[in-house]
Amino acid sequence: MGAKVAIVGYGTIGKRVADAVALQDDMEIAGVVKTRVSFELSVAKQKEYPIYASDQKSLSLFRGVGIDVQGRVEELLKRTDIVVDCTPKPIGAKNRESLYEPYKMKAIYQGGEKASVSEVSFVAQCNYKEAFGKNHVRVVSCNTTGMSRTLYALHQAFGIKRARATLVRRGTDPGQVKRGPINAIVPTFELPSHHGPDVRTVIPEIEVFTTSLVVPTTIMHMHALSVRLEKEATTKDVLDVFANTPRVRLVKAWDNVHSTAAIMEMSRDFGHPRGDMMEICVWEEGVGSYHDELFYMQAVHQESNVVPENVDAIRAMLEITDDPEESMKKTDESLGLKRWW
Amino acid sequence: MGAKVAIVGYGTIGKRVADAVALQDDMEIAGVVKTRVSFELSVAKQKEYPIYASDQKSLSLFRGVGIDVQGRVEELLKRTDIVVDCTPKPIGAKNRESLYEPYKMKAIYQGGEKASVSEVSFVAQCNYKEAFGKNHVRVVSCNTTGMSRTLYALHQAFGIKRARATLVRRGTDPGQVKRGPINAIVPTFELPSHHGPDVRTVIPEIEVFTTSLVVPTTIMHMHALSVRLEKEATTKDVLDVFANTPRVRLVKAWDNVHSTAAIMEMSRDFGHPRGDMMEICVWEEGVGSYHDELFYMQAVHQESNVVPENVDAIRAMLEITDDPEESMKKTDESLGLKRWW
Amino acid sequence: MGAKVAIVGYGTIGKRVADAVALQDDMEIAGVVKTRVSFELSVAKQKEYPIYASDQKSLSLFRGVGIDVQGRVEELLKRTDIVVDCTPKPIGAKNRESLYEPYKMKAIYQGGEKASVSEVSFVAQCNYKEAFGKNHVRVVSCNTTGMSRTLYALHQAFGIKRARATLVRRGTDPGQVKRGPINAIVPTFELPSHHGPDVRTVIPEIEVFTTSLVVPTTIMHMHALSVRLEKEATTKDVLDVFANTPRVRLVKAWDNVHSTAAIMEMSRDFGHPRGDMMEICVWEEGVGSYHDELFYMQAVHQESNVVPENVDAIRAMLEITDDPEESMKKTDESLGLKRWW
Amino acid sequence: MGAKVAIVGYGTIGKRVADAVALQDDMEIAGVVKTRVSFELSVAKQKEYPIYASDQKSLSLFRGVGIDVQGRVEELLKRTDIVVDCTPKPIGAKNRESLYEPYKMKAIYQGGEKASVSEVSFVAQCNYKEAFGKNHVRVVSCNTTGMSRTLYALHQAFGIKRARATLVRRGTDPGQVKRGPINAIVPTFELPSHHGPDVRTVIPEIEVFTTSLVVPTTIMHMHALSVRLEKEATTKDVLDVFANTPRVRLVKAWDNVHSTAAIMEMSRDFGHPRGDMMEICVWEEGVGSYHDELFYMQAVHQESNVVPENVDAIRAMLEITDDPEESMKKTDESLGLKRWW
């Protein structure tokens, strides 16, 4: 018997976190909470996740169409040790106030929420210990997690003077059809885009500035980074660091992995559930130096890369272990990720 | 120990057929044949499929980069009971002449090849018995297989006077980036498009006429069909038939399955390997009648829907069983498809 | 001095209708009405179209940012003979009630509105005379106009027993970025889709049934039609009819016009304003017969094909001429369309 | 009577350069050369551009289908003062050797060719005088031209220490359907991408490093730039410089110009032929500073932005004027570009 975990918001992230939690030997799914009818509920049922409705209206709706629903979210919270809130922003912040605080629940929020929703903005390999025993922790967004993983590794190895990144973001997720763009590039008119400051909620000591734009693709984000390092580092030095960094994978154009589409294809071939790629993929052929600047390109699978962080955040907050490596190894082994230990 | 199967051409279709064959208790993979270096070779190795090179040049290339290769395709053929040729057209026809006939190999071809490459154009639920004991069989294309499955079921239940279909085809497969269109609709200037006549290579008695166009998507084809039936049939009658037809799945917009993207999402959630959907998906809300005409819309997963046919064709050609239902049940159960038996 | 025309709603359709009206020697632009700030206002100003605000809030907004605005829509109506309402549905119907009826204005609505908004659903070459002297006329949608033009011509020449069409629709307009789909085909779950019945609001005597789906492109719709004719007609007979039909253009794949993208490219090369293609384009190579059925494919430029109908509707409603050919010739000559007279 | 200009290669760039040349009072089109049959030939004929075939095969083909062709390219060269070669790379370089040198023709090449094809790599506002009287000049690519225009202006005003750019490139041109990607981001595995060094063929004194990737859009490239300046400059200083730089246009998200799609829409509204945008568009809201770094985003219309450079290069090479401003004003006024003089 492990920690009882409730998943509030059973969509793109929620369903993945649920499956990841269910794979751990020290956790179990107490229930999943949904608002609307969808095929995802039949899958939840098949996986024997108890289903709860987010409110009375959903409860009536679910019952009306014959969904096997256990009750409302409030009932679930009574049987739960911790909540992973995977609702779209800003519902997480509202839930904190209306549900989690009244019920004295520990809760994990996703990166769409503001940093102020929680005590810690979390990326396991950067600041696991800060989340130890905490009540409210935010797993940062896919983009922020992606940058944090590689920048932190570089910072530890060589020191970072400054980092610059252009984020080329997907328009919407693969299962969605309502959002565009269909044929345009849409710049973000924030300077820096919120991603740079967001990295600093995790790793305050790195000076990072980002710009961002959105393009007509659904499958991955791409980051073009340029980093000025404190110490000299050859391309090989950098590749060696990434090769040993958890949750970062080197991929090779030479091996026919030429695009985000090829990464997704490879991940499907690996047999990963849903074809997910939870590791940040850095192209070997995209790493290079020019004077004191390091350039690299990385691809981020927005649907899944934060999943392992949610699992680790549970262990930290419930004080299951205070050793980040122990938690991350357990998580990564269960999910079939790269062996780095 | 089962039938030894060689996969010649280890790409989109070949790798899926290999995995499906490996799941059968009456077959095993003798080897897979590839021409170019790609991440797919590492996956093959991990799955313990013996790797062969398609020619001397590939053999040297593979050896040069350290791929664990067993030899050339000719050596594989000596250890093989049957070949599944999954090369792009028209290499299958060339291979028949240069390889399979000289080596007296039974061979299965894919739907890109002309019907004349083989003795039988095959869709398991339509004409399994015609392939029994044959030496050269062609599994028809994804589009032809898709139409054959639903039209044959309707024809058996109600009789078909004439069928008309508009095929809205994906531009290229999800892992590919070279082919377009990016922002256009491209009509096919064949009347009928080759798909209509191709259905008649499988079910000669159905009068079917198709038009076709290509659109900027990678994930599924969509068919809009209109069929005049011999017997009267209500929408419910038709849904009942499809509900009991092998390798056809009813999906519901009501259940949030509104698009080809949602079908793919559902299939990933089901935990299907690679997120594949081997069944033809018919929308319940897209079935309707008007006078003596039946209208329906179906989605076809071009990467995977012919995979079960390849497995059944092996059983038919090697005379493992002469009972189509026995083979199809075995195949479908191993692949986790819909239970129709 | 000609008829004074107000354009209410100055977006994709409105700005085109304004420019077309301004080209006529028997009409002039009394003013254009807009709600939000946009570059389109500077273009309007440059063209010397008087600018009005749709309400007090917009008026203040426009004045606040220095736009040269004449006043509110109500003031414009006092100086106007007829309104062309180009607002998004269902604002046209609301405007009829709150503005046009109180001000006793004749008004033209666009095809997004329900047929009941007006006395006549209008396509110039089908039913110009029905709109003569009327007060409220609806120019039907781009898709309905497209089908009406070719079906009516066929019906007059050969008689139509029944028409069937699959409409492959663009996701959004080229200048828009919010709507998708990015990578999916989205079927419409209406049987028939509303387009079939809508054609019958214009040509009640044609039995037409349509299905529809949306694809990830911005530039044109495509219709795949199959029509059973009363009289026998060869492909050449049909091409001859279309060659002489107003606002229908034959295009040739042979001439490198292979796709909707190539049609748009051709139209830009013709020097058409905005690269518009107001004619329905039928591919010569896409026309063919099978027994008593005629098949053809046509492309519809959703941004512009209804523009000439709006101009003709003005002439009919204001009784400028009761001769459809006279109006259509004048319109088409001014817009540089195909010579059919 | 002006300089006689031959356009060799009458595609995306060639047809635009032809139209621009035809607008000048000191030049005329001696002929345009094409290889394949296409609707573009009918447009050329309508514009009264003499048509020539690129070789004997094309000549026979054109004559066979009734195209009014004057002869082969060699005959055109005899009546020509200068050639603008707009063929796809590397045909320009081949033509230099086989045609232009034997015929002692001055020739302009496009940016797909290597810099070594010519004596000067040309952007009018950067190095017009270097091309004065030269025989072989290369107008650099759309991306290089785009970066050169804004970087050179910044360099003159403030001095540039180093420039960094991420180029987010369109997959193919709007009229094309064969090339992808449909749903992927494709990084370029060159570090730097060739664009950085290419800028230095025009402005050797600027240290510029670029990375590049391709996305599924057809309409414009987007550049995200970061530049370290010698002198301090506020955002306003920078905007003032761009406001006065030829062939650079400031656009405003505030004005509803939020994306590349909106720029194209605006350009169509302006009435520009083919909806072209020959100016580099910089978003006002995308310009900002952080310490000594300037960030900005610019959009480049790959089909048309090099057209004015081709016109100016003709004037420089034929010594029509040695004053860059005189030539550029003449060009820009004829093309309806921004008034900067």
Side-chain angles (χ1 to χ4, degrees), chain A residues 162 164 183 185 217 293, chain D residues 162 164 183 185 217 260 293:
Chain A
R162 57 165 73 170
R164 298 290 174 264
N183 189 28
I185 302 174
T217 184
E293 271 173 280
Chain D
R162 58 163 75 169
R164 299 290 174 263
N183 189 27
I185 303 174
T217 184
T260 54
E293 271 174 278

Side-chain angles (χ1 to χ4, degrees), chain B residues 43-54:
Chain B
V43 180
K45 188 179 174 186
Q46 201 177 302
K47 293 185 175 174
E48 303 187 353
Y49 300 154
I51 296 170
Y52 290 80
S54 62

